[in-house]
């Protein structure tokens, strides 16, 4: 049977035999790789033991594959290898500091795959005191080790990693810059975020996307200009991320700043391609479960939407009138008023809501408010009738207010 067939049929014991007995290094390497795919197999323990043995006594290629597979298997597999190398028992009862000490020791191993695995393990443990040791690996000769060490430092999130991570933003390897950028976003302090601002122009698309994604963590308007620039990025993924970050930024800044930042955002967005902005905004309104995001999105849509996506936006805003969040309903109503135009699209979508007595009076009231802003003669007549027919005071009061703006009762 081929190695593929052995993996497909779950023949762990046979794969172990190949790993231990084959004379072909490539075959042993492939067997070691495949054994990492059996995390929940009944013979997992045997696979771990075989991989630990191979990682310590085979060629460099097999050793590397065995270490990667132990890391993939999780649940103490790589700990068993590092424990044997360090001469300590790293079972499930070992204290975290004992395990962390063994991993730190393995950071200096000759085999880069073992240094990578040790860095991964430290990230899982989350011991802040190991950040300086991880930072020492930021100048490792192997870019894979630098990338893994940066990732783990980001998982730990200790501020001591900020300066060393910043130095990796100029690494020649895109993968290292990506991990450093994401790690700085996870650390999230002022210095870390500030370091990311220039990365919106990085040559690597994924670096730009990660950096732009972190801009939403700011609590001030500093990244607005950078995010607007990113809306013109050649990558659709970067442009989409920039829109999401703009909304997240508006949700994060203090209330007293958010109004000024909103105005700045609207001014900047007015000079960008409509579709690249409005489609992600419409998706946030339709799909997000975070109230602050949806409120800011509803507000922005009334001020940046042009004809190309207008129908979809109006549908989304009308749907938002039925939301449980009162502030979202208010923002949706004011944005619908902003979108009202000579085609009477908003009026046509709102009249059925206003005239449906089964709809919540508060929702109908928001729709009536909007009709008072954008409605025509048809709305005036409908509201005139509604005043006499409705049993709800809130609906009647809103109708009186709206109809007065449309020329009064007939």
């Amino acid at each position: 049977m081929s190695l593929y067939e052995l993996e497909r049929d779950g023949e762990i014991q046979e794969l172990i035999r190949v790993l231990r007995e084959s004379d072909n290094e490539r075959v042993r390497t492939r067997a070691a790789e495949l054994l990492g795919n059996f995390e929940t197999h009944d013979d997992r323990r045997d696979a771990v033991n075989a991989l630990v043995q191979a990682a310590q006594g085979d060629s460099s290629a097999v050793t590397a594959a065995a270490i990667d597979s132990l890391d993939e298997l999780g649940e103490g597999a790589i700990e068993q290898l590092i424990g044997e190398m360090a001469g300590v028992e790293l079972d499930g009862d070992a204290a975290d500091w004992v395990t962390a000490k063994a991993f730190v020791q393995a950071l200096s191993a000759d085999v880069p795959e073992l240094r990578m695995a040790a860095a991964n393990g430290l990230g899982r443990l989350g011991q802040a005191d190991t950040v300086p040791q991880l930072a020492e690996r930021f100048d490792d000769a192997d870019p894979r080790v630098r990338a893994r060490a940066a990732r783990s430092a980001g998982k730990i999130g200790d501020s001591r990693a900020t300066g060393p991570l910043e130095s990796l933003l100029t690494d020649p390897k895109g993968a290292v810059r990506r991990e450093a950028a994401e790690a700085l976003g996870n650390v999230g302090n002022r210095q870390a975020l500030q370091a990311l601002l220039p990365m919106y122009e990085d040559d690597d698309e994924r670096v730009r996307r990660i950096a732009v994604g972190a801009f939403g963590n700011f609590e001030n308007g500093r990244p607005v200009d950078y995010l607007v620039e990113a809306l013109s990025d050649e990558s659709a993924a970067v442009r989409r991320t920039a829109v999401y970050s703009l909304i997240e930024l508006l949700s994060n800044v203090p209330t007293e700043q958010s109004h000024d930042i909103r105005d700045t955002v609207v001014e900047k967005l007015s000079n960008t391609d409509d579709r690249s902005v409005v489609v992600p905004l419409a998706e946030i309104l339709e799909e997000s479960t975070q109230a602050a995001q949806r409120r800011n999105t509803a507000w922005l849509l009334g001020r940046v939407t042009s004809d190309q996506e207008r129908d979809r936006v109006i549908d989304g805003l009308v749907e938002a009138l039925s939301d449980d969040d009162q502030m979202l309903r208010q923002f949706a109503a004011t944005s619908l008023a902003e979108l009202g135009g000579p085609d009477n699209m908003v009026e046509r979508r709102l009249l059925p809501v206003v005239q449906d007595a089964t709809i919540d009076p508060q929702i109908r009231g928001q729709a009536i408010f909007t009709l008072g802003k954008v409605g025509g003669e048809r709305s005036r007549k409908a509201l005139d009738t509604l005043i006499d027919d409705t049993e709800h005071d809130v609906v009647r009061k809103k109708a009186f207010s709206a109809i007065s703006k449309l020329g009064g009762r007939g």
Side-chain angles (χ1 to χ4, degrees):
M1 295 178 69
S2 68
L3 292 179
Y4 165 78
E5 290 172 322
L6 292 176
E7 180 201 19
R8 182 195 62 193
D9 296 340
E11 296 289 347
I12 277 190
Q13 296 300 332
E14 187 60 23
L15 284 170
I16 291 173
R17 186 193 65 76
V18 172
L19 174 61
R20 288 174 169 165
E21 300 178 7
S22 175
D23 294 330
N24 188 314
E25 181 186 46
R26 292 180 61 185
V27 172
R28 295 198 310 278
T29 300
R30 183 57 179 155
E33 291 173 350
L34 294 177
L35 283 170
N37 297 330
F38 295 98
E39 182 178 356
T40 60
H41 197 281
D42 291 342
D43 292 338
R44 178 182 181 278
R45 181 185 295 273
D46 291 341
V48 170
N49 290 334
L51 288 167
V52 167
Q53 181 182 357
Q56 297 180 85
D58 210 312
S59 67
S60 59
V62 178
T63 294
I67 291 171
D68 279 343
S69 285
L70 287 167
D71 211 21
E72 288 291 325
L73 288 171
E75 293 188 16
I78 196 69
E79 283 84 353
Q80 181 174 327
L81 169 63
I82 291 177
E84 287 191 16
M85 295 178 62
V88 295
E89 186 72 27
L90 297 183
D91 56 22
D93 296 327
D96 284 349
W97 71 268
V98 174
T99 305
K101 184 177 180 180
F103 277 131
V104 166
Q105 182 177 331
L107 284 175
S108 302
D110 292 335
V111 181
E113 287 77 11
L114 190 53
R115 301 198 297 275
M116 292 162 58
N120 286 347
L122 289 171
R124 288 196 298 270
L125 286 172
Q127 298 279 306
D129 289 344
T130 64
V131 165
Q133 286 77 26
L134 281 169
E136 290 177 3
R137 297 265 53 93
F138 290 177
D139 60 357
D140 195 282
D142 193 309
R144 298 173 301 165
V145 178
R146 301 198 298 273
R148 299 289 181 91
R151 180 189 304 175
S152 289
K155 286 182 178 180
I156 296 171
D158 189 88
S159 60
R160 286 174 289 181
T162 305
L165 283 170
E166 187 174 352
S167 69
L168 291 182
L169 294 178
T170 56
D171 195 278
K173 294 293 185 179
V176 177
R177 299 198 303 276
R178 289 197 297 272
E179 295 292 354
E182 190 155 0
L184 285 166
N186 289 336
V187 173
N189 60 23
R190 182 176 300 180
Q191 180 185 350
L193 295 173
Q194 190 74 18
L196 286 175
L197 287 175
M199 303 307 292
Y200 83 99
E201 291 184 311
D202 193 271
D203 293 338
D204 189 299
E205 173 191 337
R206 285 174 289 181
V207 174
R208 299 198 303 276
R209 179 173 54 80
I210 290 168
V212 168
F215 292 169
N217 296 329
F218 274 76
E219 295 183 353
N220 57 57
R222 180 68 191 275
V224 169
D225 288 341
Y226 298 90
L227 285 170
V228 172
E229 286 291 328
L231 292 172
S232 302
D233 195 278
E234 62 184 20
S235 164
V238 175
R239 297 196 300 270
R240 179 185 177 88
T241 301
V243 174
Y244 275 86
S245 282
L246 279 169
I247 295 300
E248 191 67 23
L249 179 68
L250 290 173
S251 303
N252 286 336
V253 297
T255 304
E256 60 271 16
Q257 296 182 29
S258 63
H259 299 296
D260 291 339
I261 294 177
R262 278 200 201 99
D263 291 339
T264 300
V265 170
V266 169
E267 179 184 356
K268 299 288 186 180
L269 294 186
S270 63
N271 297 319
T272 65
D273 174 60
D274 171 68
R275 184 172 177 82
S276 69
V277 175
V278 176
V279 170
L281 285 176
E283 291 172 351
I284 294 172
L285 182 63
E286 294 163 357
E287 300 170 8
S288 176
T289 58
Q290 298 185 31
Q293 286 186 358
R294 300 188 72 210
R295 292 171 188 168
N296 286 309
T297 300
W299 187 90
L300 276 176
L301 282 170
R303 290 147 182 86
V304 300
T305 301
S306 61
D307 292 341
Q308 192 172 12
E309 299 295 331
R310 191 162 173 269
D311 289 357
R312 177 181 180 178
V313 169
I314 289 173
D315 287 343
L317 291 170
V318 170
E319 182 69 24
L321 293 177
S322 302
D323 197 88
D324 292 336
D325 182 5
Q326 181 181 0
M327 188 174 294
L328 173 59
R329 296 199 304 267
Q330 292 174 350
F331 282 177
T334 56
S335 282
L336 284 167
E338 293 284 341
L339 292 172
D343 62 355
N344 292 323
M345 170 66 75
V346 173
E347 181 182 49
R348 291 199 304 271
R349 290 288 285 108
L350 291 180
L351 277 173
V353 176
V354 169
Q355 294 168 325
D356 188 343
T358 65
I359 294 178
D360 185 289
Q362 295 295 334
I363 297 171
R364 296 171 73 195
Q366 293 288 359
I368 291 169
F369 163 83
T370 305
L371 286 180
K373 299 281 189 179
V374 303
E377 180 62 15
R378 186 180 175 190
S379 292
R380 192 192 66 78
K381 289 180 179 180
L383 295 176
D384 194 10
T385 301
L386 188 61
I387 290 172
D388 295 328
D389 293 347
T390 186
E391 298 178 356
H392 298 286
D393 289 340
V394 65
V395 173
R396 185 179 296 108
K397 182 178 179 180
K398 291 283 188 180
F400 266 119
S401 176
I403 204 170
S404 66
K405 300 171 184 176
L406 299 176
R409 304 194 69 179

